[in-house]
Amino acid sequence: MTQEFSYRWGHSALTADFDLDRRTPRLVRLTVPGEPEPKCAAEAAGAALPLVDVTLLGQGTGWSGPRFTGTALGQRLTHRAHHAAYGDGWHHLTVQLQDRRGGLTVFVEYSSPDAVPVLRARVRIRNDGDTPVTVRSVSSLLLGALPSPDVLDVHRARNDWLAECRWYTEELRESLPDVGRAFHGHDGRAGVRLAGRGSWPTDGHLAMGALTDRTDGRCWLWQIESAASWLWEAGEADHHTYLSLSGPTADDHQWHQVLSPGAEFVSEYAALALGDGFDGALTALTDYRRRIRRPHPDHDRLPVVFNDYMNTLMGDPTTEKLLPLIDAAAAAGAEYFCVDAGWYDDEDGDGDGDAEGDTGGGGDGDTGGDGGGGWWDSVGAWLPSARRFPGPDGLHAVLGRIRERGMVPGLWLEPEVVGVRSPLATELPDEAFLRHGGGVRVTEQGRHQLDLTHPAARAHLDRTVDRLVGEWGVGYLKLDYNITTSAPGLLDHTRAWLSWLSAVLDRHPGLVVENCGSGGLRMDGASLAVAQLQSTSDQQDPLRYPPIAAAAPTAVPPEQGAVWAYPQPEFTDEEIAFTLGSALLGRVHLSGRLDRMTPHQLGLVREALVTYKAVRGDLCRSVPFWPLGLPGWRDAWVALGMRVPFLDTTYVLVWRRAGDDPEVALPAAHLTGREVRVDVLHGSAGPVAWDGSALRVTLPEAPSVLLTRLTV
């Protein structure tokens, strides 16, 4: 049967079959080893879509409805050439297409890491005509001939401030009603469409999704790698399901791109992982994420970071408050110490940084934006406060104390914004800021948004970072972002932002960067490929953090996912263990008033960090699984597992938050039928045992937490 396809490309873990001889070239099938072949090529090819769909101004979609699939231009693109290559562990394929009416040349670029069932794609469009054209949408990856909606479930992840990574599932047919194609000759116009809008790309939902086949467990899991806007759509075509992944579009995001003759546009990357069930596809996607990110020692070392913000100083740092915290953090075992928001605040007033408004991942203070005081609308120069750090050495005395205690100093920074009262607001030209269509600057909550495509904006940030890192010796930057905009030019700005950040890391290769956007509202694949850490949430309630911590590895590899652990002196021993336990299978973001703890309490913190340091070397190689399934927001029991490939080691972290039943069974399919040793690493419990297929745990009290290591 496969001989009927004109071209096959792939490797040991992934095969893509193309029909390039058709009038409209198509990607017919995407499979992994062991998947059965369709009965005939015609059966698979009948539901396939063009390799790409593009809409241009004045040419419409070719379909009466909101869907962007089936565009007029997509049907006109013919095969001109294709080229395959291999290098640095990646397989590449470029298919060149030509508009039959002339003018546009389209390059569909596929890539896949060797031995990993993930397909990455983007589209490059070149105007080879003699008149400008306006692009209104372009798919990054378009795939048809997936199974019927009758057998598929669709998975999405709500991602809200303080409540990130909340996956939910429904049958795809619920959104794609069977309208009786045999009677009408057409598929329905319904589709599952999900869009992220603005410079918080994961505000509302993660830029991800998945389809699973209820009949055989196959899963297709995807991410769209954009720090700006994105769109994905799943619909029905000839009894099959199609999937379209893209960046911003005209109808959903008011985006367009004018291409003058000779100009090019490149879409955002999208990646599709295949696997046996959601956990299997996420294993492949985790491997892929590690391969596309820039190398950095932090990904292997996983140092413990103390940050003074969450449930501690809350944006009100001073020398007097910081020095005892620094000593206590060092005594507990922290390796980095980050001074969070407020270090630049020289305004008169209480400066407590917790005025009415969004706390936004690090000291979002007064949000009034009317020039009425407070540091919120005056930031931009990023110079230390003499009021907060008096004396001849000022803030440098604090940074020096951090180094004296054997830790690396860090600072919070919100580089993309300039407050309306900041001198920078008038010193920088208008062109250095994002502006609306009429040339009016973007102003959100008393702040302007820099445009990193402009050299003046980039030079300002270069001077800032080179001063903090190169002159002051700061080794950690928490880069926060607490406004959001959908202004024109956003896509170009976010690409320039990531380019700028990459250049910073080239100049300062030892610098560690945390990406934060009011917690996890900028938790996108493009940013994660550059930054070393990702803030997962601003959640301040330790009882509400477990479902976030457990589901965070769906969006970010465990060695990059920063989870707050903020034990307090008023906590019981069990409460201290609970909040610390939530971070032990991710990146420990330690906080809390350690300086006010008793020696016994500080000893509990130190013991937890000793445990973390013993397991973190495995985390950077591990892949997640969920013994109880992906957590629900109100679940009484939550569990996260980490399996270390090629080692007979598995970690299982379980939280009991509520409920009357003190016992739970935690399946681990990869260990079924094997003899397993169980070691309790953190927390206390009743009986804990492996029964041949599941870990059986008794936690007599709620709330409580337990971390175990399973060894074959």
Side-chain angles (χ1 to χ4, degrees):
M1 185 277 299
T2 57
Q3 284 76 13
E4 297 183 43
F5 298 128
S6 63
Y7 186 67
R8 170 166 283 189
W9 171 81
H11 50 78
S12 61
L14 185 75
T15 299
D17 287 313
F18 295 86
D19 191 343
L20 301 179
D21 293 337
R22 280 177 173 259
R23 181 177 175 86
T24 302
R26 304 179 179 209
L27 171 56
V28 177
R29 286 204 327 140
L30 191 65
T31 58
V32 296
E35 217 172 294
E37 299 275 355
K39 296 177 181 178
C40 64
E43 176 186 329
L49 298 174
L51 295 184
V52 62
D53 262 330
V54 181
T55 58
L56 304 179
L57 185 65
Q59 296 197 23
T61 64
W63 173 260
S64 297
R67 302 192 304 184
F68 275 107
T69 55
T71 60
L73 178 60
Q75 299 291 335
R76 295 203 310 261
L77 295 173
T78 59
H79 174 249
R80 185 172 180 180
H82 62 275
H83 174 71
Y86 176 79
D88 297 325
W90 283 78
H91 299 261
H92 302 276
L93 173 66
T94 299
V95 181
Q96 183 178 347
L97 306 172
Q98 190 71 45
D99 182 0
R100 287 194 291 268
R101 297 182 185 174
L104 282 189
T105 303
V106 177
F107 302 88
V108 186
E109 300 176 351
Y110 300 104
S111 58
S112 182
D114 192 42
V116 180
V118 175
L119 180 67
R120 192 187 205 197
R122 69 176 186 179
V123 172
R124 180 162 50 95
I125 302 174
R126 187 176 68 211
N127 182 5
D128 289 330
D130 53 10
T131 59
V133 295
T134 300
V135 180
R136 301 183 68 249
S137 74
V138 54
S139 61
S140 296
L141 176 60
L142 188 60
L143 180 65
L146 294 174
S148 165
D150 292 329
V151 300
L152 293 181
D153 290 333
V154 59
H155 310 265
R156 289 162 280 188
R158 296 185 178 98
N159 199 69
D160 297 302
W161 184 53
L162 309 179
E164 289 85 350
C165 301
R166 293 163 19 248
W167 287 85
Y168 61 104
T169 303
E170 69 172 352
E171 293 186 5
L172 184 59
R173 188 53 91 186
E174 291 297 315
S175 296
L176 303 179
D178 185 348
V179 297
R181 193 178 195 278
F183 294 92
H184 307 293
H186 295 283
D187 297 301
R189 292 190 172 94
V192 177
R193 290 169 58 87
L194 195 61
R197 296 178 175 87
S199 51
W200 278 343
T202 55
D203 180 18
H205 280 82
L206 291 179
M208 298 180 64
L211 295 169
T212 53
D213 189 326
R214 293 188 299 275
T215 66
D216 57 20
R218 287 181 296 166
C219 179
W220 299 262
L221 173 67
W222 59 86
Q223 68 175 24
I224 301 172
E225 296 164 15
S226 177
S229 301
W230 51 269
L231 171 74
W232 64 257
E233 176 181 290
E236 186 172 15
D238 192 16
H239 307 295
H240 290 259
T241 301
Y242 70 81
L243 177 66
S244 176
L245 312 177
S246 74
T249 69
D251 288 356
D252 291 270
H253 309 102
Q254 292 73 58
W255 170 89
H256 67 273
Q257 181 75 39
V258 178
L259 294 182
S260 58
E264 290 190 355
F265 171 75
V266 181
S267 75
E268 301 284 70
Y269 276 114
L272 178 68
L274 284 69
D276 182 9
F278 186 95
D279 290 4
L282 201 279
T283 292
L285 193 61
T286 300
D287 192 343
Y288 162 84
R289 287 167 170 166
R290 287 169 172 155
R291 296 195 188 206
I292 66 169
R293 70 188 179 195
R294 65 176 290 136
H296 196 285
D298 182 81
H299 297 317
D300 298 316
R301 295 175 50 239
L302 281 62
V304 174
V305 178
F306 185 96
N307 182 296
D308 68 29
Y309 183 77
M310 191 61 71
N311 293 354
T312 308
L313 299 188
M314 299 297 290
D316 187 25
T318 65
T319 300
E320 181 181 9
K321 294 177 180 179
L322 283 168
L323 293 184
L325 262 181
I326 292 168
D327 294 345
E335 294 153 301
Y336 281 63
F337 190 104
C338 181
V339 180
D340 208 276
W343 60 268
Y344 41 79
D345 174 25
D346 223 8
E347 299 275 348
D348 292 331
D350 60 11
D352 61 5
D354 61 356
E356 180 178 336
D358 170 356
T359 61
D364 291 13
D366 179 5
T367 63
D370 59 0
W375 55 261
W376 176 264
D377 59 357
S378 65
V379 296
W382 307 114
L383 297 172
S385 167
R387 178 176 64 86
R388 292 180 174 276
F389 307 103
D393 293 328
L395 177 61
H396 293 285
V398 172
L399 301 179
R401 181 68 155 261
I402 294 170
R403 283 188 285 267
E404 289 172 7
R405 294 296 182 263
M407 297 181 292
V408 177
L411 289 175
W412 179 96
L413 194 66
E414 195 170 358
E416 290 165 87
V417 300
V418 172
V420 297
R421 294 193 297 118
S422 171
L424 270 297
T426 56
E427 292 173 9
L428 291 172
D430 278 343
E431 295 79 9
F433 298 91
L434 277 183
R435 294 175 294 166
H436 297 291
V440 178
R441 288 187 189 181
V442 169
T443 305
E444 294 288 342
Q445 295 185 305
R447 283 140 169 237
H448 300 309
Q449 164 76 54
L450 287 172
D451 182 352
L452 266 292
T453 65
H454 194 276
R458 186 164 182 145
H460 158 60
L461 293 192
D462 280 340
R463 288 191 298 268
T464 298
V465 171
D466 290 348
R467 179 177 70 251
L468 302 184
V469 179
E471 298 176 21
W472 298 5
V474 169
Y476 184 100
L477 288 177
K478 177 176 180 175
L479 301 185
D480 209 341
Y481 182 63
N482 293 304
I483 67 170
T484 184
T485 179
S486 298
L490 177 62
L491 180 61
D492 290 337
H493 161 74
T494 57
R495 291 177 173 182
W497 157 255
L498 294 174
S499 172
W500 170 80
L501 186 54
S502 295
V504 166
L505 291 166
D506 288 341
R507 293 199 307 276
H508 306 287
L511 176 67
V512 175
V513 169
E514 175 193 346
N515 181 55
C516 180
S518 267
L521 303 187
R522 207 183 202 181
M523 194 155 44
D524 61 275
S527 298
L528 285 166
V530 180
Q532 285 70 63
L533 285 90
Q534 170 65 51
S535 175
T536 58
S537 187
D538 285 347
Q539 178 55 249
Q540 292 179 248
D541 183 352
L543 278 175
R544 286 181 168 86
Y545 218 129
I548 302 171
T554 63
V556 52
E559 65 272 21
Q560 289 180 272
V563 176
W564 288 103
Y566 27 63
Q568 304 295 345
E570 63 271 21
F571 282 8
T572 65
D573 288 0
E574 291 75 17
E575 289 170 332
I576 289 174
F578 190 89
T579 186
L580 289 166
S582 292
L584 294 183
L585 290 186
R587 288 299 295 272
V588 176
H589 244 41
L590 186 64
S591 198
R593 295 309 305 245
L594 306 187
D595 55 320
R596 297 177 180 175
M597 285 186 163
T598 66
H600 168 72
Q601 291 175 318
L602 195 61
L604 295 177
V605 178
R606 187 183 304 110
E607 289 174 8
L609 295 187
V610 168
T611 297
Y612 178 72
K613 292 173 183 179
V615 307
R616 64 184 174 184
D618 287 339
L619 295 183
C620 59
R621 298 172 292 170
S622 66
V623 292
F625 68 99
W626 290 270
L628 300 177
L630 290 169
W633 186 245
R634 296 186 296 272
D635 287 356
W637 288 88
V638 175
L640 170 64
M642 288 290 170
R643 178 173 57 85
V644 188
F646 312 114
L647 291 180
D648 292 326
T649 302
T650 298
Y651 298 95
V652 176
L653 180 61
V654 57
W655 298 261
R656 182 187 173 196
R657 297 196 292 169
D660 297 328
D661 189 352
E663 299 181 2
V664 68
L666 305 168
H670 64 286
L671 297 176
T672 298
R674 307 179 73 180
E675 293 187 7
V676 174
R677 171 181 169 178
V678 180
D679 294 306
V680 173
L681 303 182
H682 177 79
S684 58
V688 180
W690 176 255
D691 69 1
S693 62
L695 178 68
R696 295 195 171 271
V697 171
T698 301
L699 297 181
E701 303 294 333
S704 54
V705 68
L706 189 71
L707 174 63
T708 62
R709 179 175 56 216
L710 311 182
T711 308
V712 177

